[in-house]
């Protein structure tokens, strides 16, 4: 089982978008049985809240449901239990390293690093631009899946 945990600040915009986009990509490849996919937050402010409505809307426009998702906090045990921990920006990276007590054996990376970029995923919470965030996430998730999916027989 390949375990992937996407992380952002509040787990109501970017990381749940990444979680459900990645689940959709994995399903389209017929690999759902090989993956455990989740998302979480480095802050506590949104814990228990559903995905932010504009994030839900852009997912729905692209045929992706995130029904039932509620924000959860990233815990140190998640670091030990997940194989890939893509974060959305440098602030998330700093905060997750506090949670992991500075540990990072390479599992924690910026999502767009998988696409060969050093940029952060655009933050729609501040910009209101969910389309750019969606495009960034698709690019990162596609590259992540391409880099880790097992070869099909």
């Amino acid at each position: 089982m390949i375990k992937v945990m996407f992380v952002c600040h509040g787990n109501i915009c970017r990381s749940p978008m990444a979680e459900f986009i990645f689940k959709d990509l994995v399903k389209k490849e017929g690999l759902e049985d090989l993956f455990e996919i989740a998302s979480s937050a480095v802050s506590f402010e949104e814990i228990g809240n559903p995905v932010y409505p504009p994030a839900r809307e852009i997912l729905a426009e692209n045929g992706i449901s995130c029904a039932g998702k509620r924000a959860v906090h990233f815990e140190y045990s998640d670091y030990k239990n997940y194989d890939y921990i893509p974060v959305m920006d440098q602030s998330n990276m700093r905060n997750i390293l506090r949670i992991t007590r500075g540990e990072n054996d390479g599992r924690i990376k910026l999502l767009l690093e998988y696409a060969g970029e050093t940029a952060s995923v655009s933050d729609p919470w501040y910009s209101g631009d969910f389309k750019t965030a969606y495009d960034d996430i698709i690019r990162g998730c596609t590259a992540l899946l391409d880099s880790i999916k097992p070869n099909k027989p």
Side-chain angles (χ1 to χ4, degrees):
M1 183 72 58
I2 302 167
K3 297 180 179 183
V4 181
M5 170 74 77
F6 295 95
V7 180
C8 73
H9 182 76
N11 194 216
I12 61 167
C13 292
R14 293 176 295 172
S15 63
M17 287 171 66
E19 173 186 349
F20 290 96
I21 287 168
F22 196 71
K23 284 179 177 177
D24 185 61
L25 293 171
V26 164
K27 183 177 182 181
K28 287 175 179 171
E29 292 277 339
L31 301 172
E32 358 19 327
D33 293 342
L34 302 178
F35 283 88
E36 179 180 318
I37 305 161
S39 64
S40 60
V42 291
S43 75
F44 288 98
E45 340 170 339
E46 301 290 348
I47 301 308
N49 289 335
V51 176
Y52 192 56
R56 278 197 316 262
E57 289 164 14
I58 196 155
L59 288 172
E61 287 169 15
N62 288 279
I64 301 170
S65 172
C66 61
K69 172 66 181 171
R70 298 277 177 176
V72 298
H73 189 260
F74 183 88
E75 302 296 336
Y76 181 76
S77 60
D78 294 324
Y79 173 68
K80 294 298 186 183
N81 291 325
Y82 282 85
D83 305 306
Y84 296 88
I85 306 170
V87 301
M88 302 299 131
D89 62 33
Q90 289 294 342
S91 175
N92 304 154
M93 181 69 78
R94 285 188 300 276
N95 287 319
I96 203 169
L97 290 174
R98 283 189 197 107
I99 295 166
T100 65
R101 305 169 196 144
E103 290 182 47
N104 182 9
D105 60 7
R107 287 181 274 167
I108 305 169
K109 290 184 179 182
L110 291 172
L111 176 60
L112 288 175
E113 281 186 65
Y114 293 99
E117 301 174 31
T118 58
S120 294
V121 171
S122 176
D123 191 343
W125 183 258
Y126 298 105
S127 70
D129 184 358
F130 284 82
K131 171 77 169 99
T132 297
Y134 182 88
D135 291 345
D136 286 351
I137 292 166
I138 281 280
R139 204 166 56 257
C141 284
T142 300
L144 171 61
L145 182 56
D146 287 344
S147 74
I148 64 176
K149 71 180 174 187
N151 293 328
K152 285 187 174 180

